[in-house]
Amino acid sequence: MIKNIASYLTLTLTISILLYASFSTNETIDLSEYSTKGLVLNYNVGLDANVTNNITASNDTNETFSPYLGKSFVGFKEALAFKESRGNYACVNTYGYLGKYQFGKGTLKLIGIHNPNKFLKDPKLQEKAFIANAERNKWILRREIKNFVGKKINGVLVTESGILAAAHLAGPGSVKKYLRSYGINNFADGYGTTVSIYMKKFSGYDTSFVKADRKAKAI
């Protein structure tokens, strides 16, 4: 009788162990091992080594910077500024072009600025200069805008913003030659950047904000 009871208890214990094992969960994962607590997290993107304050900078890159502004006018000017100088108001390149938008001294005179040193230290004046120059270029190129926007030259769709960007790079006269020659006369600056590159890179922005003005001045 005692032997039968012992056998019964052994069987019951074995069944209990098997049931417990079958319903038990997998090993618990310690999520603390994946914590970022105490780590130094750096999300900043450094500037190009070629562009720093008060030293020379080239416009030999094809990158633009307008992650949130889309195709707005502000997006247009900030993308252009990033291409020219990484948005650095104090930038002077190897050819002596000045500021965030890389103006030549001759162009500055056309829009009423005769003190390059003052211009370089005045961000507000640089922003006004960009608008004035765009307005002047839009007036000079008004016929080209009317006649060529919507056409393709060298495989690139011509848009008003592309024309204005190219004029900023090469001057309105070079843009006229490019359009009227249907891309044969393709001006390149000292870094090898051409009118057609700017036509493509800055295509499709909203530049309706810019009003054509033959006498546009920054001051």
Side-chain angles (χ1 to χ4, degrees):
M1 180 68 177
I2 294 175
K3 184 177 180 180
N4 290 337
I5 294 174
S7 298
Y8 178 78
L9 290 175
T10 300
L11 179 60
T12 302
L13 181 60
T14 301
I15 293 172
S16 298
I17 291 172
L18 291 173
L19 288 173
Y20 175 81
S22 65
F23 287 105
S24 63
T25 60
N26 292 330
E27 181 182 355
T28 302
I29 297 175
D30 184 4
L31 295 177
S32 65
E33 294 181 4
Y34 302 92
S35 173
T36 58
K37 184 177 181 181
L39 298 179
V40 177
L41 303 178
N42 184 3
Y43 298 102
N44 295 321
V45 178
L47 291 176
D48 189 288
N50 293 328
V51 185
T52 54
N53 288 337
N54 300 317
I55 63 175
T56 60
S58 72
N59 61 355
D60 58 355
T61 178
N62 287 327
E63 296 176 297
T64 59
F65 181 72
S66 56
Y68 307 116
L69 300 173
K71 291 292 185 176
S72 67
F73 176 72
V74 176
F76 169 71
K77 73 183 187 69
E78 292 304 316
L80 187 56
F82 190 76
K83 176 67 173 66
E84 294 288 336
S85 71
R86 298 297 198 280
N88 182 358
Y89 287 107
C91 179
V92 181
N93 78 1
T94 51
Y95 292 95
Y97 286 80
L98 307 167
K100 178 179 177 180
Y101 301 101
Q102 294 291 277
F103 278 99
K105 293 178 182 178
T107 300
L108 290 177
K109 289 180 181 179
L110 291 174
I111 55 177
I113 299 172
H114 301 278
N115 189 332
N117 291 328
K118 180 181 178 181
F119 169 79
L120 197 59
K121 297 176 183 179
D122 191 339
K124 289 184 179 180
L125 183 57
Q126 291 190 34
E127 295 297 336
K128 290 179 180 178
F130 179 82
I131 299 297
N133 188 55
E135 290 176 340
R136 180 176 176 275
N137 286 339
K138 189 168 182 176
W139 185 86
I140 295 172
L141 293 165
R142 63 196 184 283
R143 292 187 179 89
E144 284 69 29
I145 291 172
K146 179 180 179 181
N147 294 330
F148 288 95
V149 166
K151 296 181 180 180
K152 280 192 175 183
I153 296 179
N154 288 336
V156 177
L157 180 67
V158 178
T159 65
E160 181 179 286
S161 61
I163 288 175
L164 294 180
H168 184 87
L169 171 76
S174 294
V175 176
K176 282 188 177 185
K177 292 177 181 178
Y178 173 81
L179 293 172
R180 292 177 182 181
S181 69
Y182 282 86
I184 295 175
N185 195 330
N186 193 9
F187 170 91
D189 71 358
Y191 300 109
T193 306
T194 64
V195 166
S196 63
I197 287 174
Y198 265 44
M199 285 276 191
K200 181 178 180 179
K201 178 173 288 296
F202 299 103
S203 174
Y205 285 88
D206 180 7
T207 52
S208 59
F209 173 85
V210 180
K211 305 302 180 185
D213 184 355
R214 179 169 63 92
K215 298 181 179 180
K217 301 291 181 182
I219 54 177

